[in-house]
Amino acid sequence: MSNEPLAQIPDFLKDYQGRTGVEDISGSDISFPFLAIGQSMHPMVQTGDIPPGSIFCPTTGEVFSHGIEKPIKFYPFIFWRTYIKWGERDESIMLGVESPGGEAEHSVRAKEMVTRKNGKQEYLWTQYNNYGVVLDGQKDWFVLSCFRTNIQSSRRLNTMIMRKQPIFSSSYIVETRIKDNKLGKFFVYYFDNDGYITDKELFERLRRLNEEVTLIKDNVSMAAQTPVEDGDETKVF
């Protein structure tokens, strides 16, 4: 997904009015390029294609951080919150119903529980803290989504971002680390500050991305493509 669409549009197309040929493309037909962590049960880790704890893009197969504690620099340019209510599992797919995230919704959904057919009690809604990011040295942009075990990591990043606004004014570092809970060991994001952006051209690029993605993010179905944790396994639907 190119970061430079406006710069490549010829002058005669910029003021075009009329049919575009994409009138029937809806939000569920559009895919954002997600970043994911290679958990130990992920197929690419199981086959030895990537080390455990790697940060990669399942859509393209690109690997950006090979294994744990391998930091990479990134530039966030937008944040938005989404809630997805997952239905009963149908074979290997969980159908999701999503809703935009606001503070009022958050206070309610954080507590709602449901009992599944197998008797397991789960939270009804899963909160996703989503960041549009550009990785250092990369032309395309990605969605870095924090949910469940990574919500705490997201709060750390949000605290740093709130101190250095606008969001696209600074760079940060991300790597993966091992975390333990009652279910076992798994990998989570760890974020750290890097500093203010000094390249004005990069700043303007991120500012334009903020404007562009703001216009489309609410029309794209996150439930159709959001990474879903299943114990130690990460899948992308």
Side-chain angles (χ1 to χ4, degrees):
M1 197 171 286
S2 176
N3 289 322
E4 304 173 308
L6 296 181
Q8 303 301 322
I9 298 176
D11 290 340
F12 69 88
L13 284 177
K14 291 180 180 178
D15 297 321
Y16 172 77
Q17 299 288 329
R19 291 187 60 81
T20 62
V22 297
E23 285 79 9
D24 289 335
I25 296 179
S26 66
S28 61
D29 300 315
I30 300 173
S31 176
F32 279 173
F34 271 89
L35 295 176
I37 299 176
Q39 303 289 354
S40 60
M41 293 299 291
H42 191 280
M44 289 183 67
V45 175
Q46 290 282 293
T47 57
D49 293 327
I50 60 173
S54 297
I55 299 174
F56 71 108
C57 177
T59 305
T60 65
E62 296 172 279
V63 182
F64 303 105
S65 175
H66 295 260
I68 63 171
E69 298 184 8
K70 304 289 185 182
I72 53 177
K73 182 188 293 189
F74 72 99
Y75 309 96
F77 59 85
I78 193 171
F79 168 86
W80 75 99
R81 184 188 294 132
T82 305
Y83 291 91
I84 300 182
K85 179 168 64 175
W86 297 106
E88 292 287 351
R89 184 176 294 276
D90 179 15
E91 296 180 351
S92 61
I93 299 176
M94 292 181 73
L95 301 178
V97 177
E98 62 189 290
S99 176
E103 290 304 318
E105 294 91 341
H106 173 64
S107 63
V108 174
R109 291 173 183 159
K111 301 175 183 179
E112 287 187 276
M113 304 290 290
V114 64
T115 302
R116 300 297 184 188
K117 292 179 180 179
N118 60 6
K120 183 179 179 181
Q121 195 172 44
E122 300 175 343
Y123 286 104
L124 183 60
W125 296 87
T126 300
Q127 175 184 337
Y128 294 82
N129 286 354
N130 307 299
Y131 303 85
V133 303
V134 172
L135 303 182
D136 192 41
Q138 297 296 316
K139 181 179 179 181
D140 295 339
W141 64 272
F142 300 88
V143 175
L144 191 160
S145 188
C146 293
F147 54 98
R148 294 184 181 172
T149 54
N150 272 302
I151 288 294
Q152 185 175 353
S153 301
S154 174
R155 291 183 183 130
R156 172 182 169 84
L157 177 58
N158 285 345
T159 300
M160 293 186 284
I161 288 173
M162 288 296 290
R163 293 171 179 167
K164 299 168 70 177
Q165 298 180 47
I167 188 173
F168 42 84
S169 68
S170 302
S171 59
Y172 299 87
I173 300 295
V174 60
E175 62 183 60
T176 59
R177 295 186 178 182
I178 296 176
K179 186 174 182 178
D180 293 271
N181 67 12
K182 61 183 180 181
L183 299 176
K185 295 183 178 181
F186 49 92
F187 302 101
V188 296
Y189 290 120
Y190 178 82
F191 299 106
D192 210 346
N193 256 313
D194 184 62
Y196 281 106
I197 293 171
T198 57
D199 185 336
K200 186 176 180 180
E201 184 177 343
L202 173 60
F203 175 83
E204 289 299 324
R205 175 186 174 196
L206 296 170
R207 183 188 61 78
R208 289 194 301 269
L209 277 171
N210 174 274
E211 294 175 352
E212 294 167 18
V213 177
T214 296
L215 295 175
I216 65 173
K217 65 180 177 61
D218 291 334
N219 296 320
V220 176
S221 175
M222 302 291 288
Q225 57 193 318
T226 304
V228 181
E229 288 182 348
D230 181 17
D232 194 34
E233 185 172 2
T234 300
K235 299 178 181 178
V236 178
F237 302 117

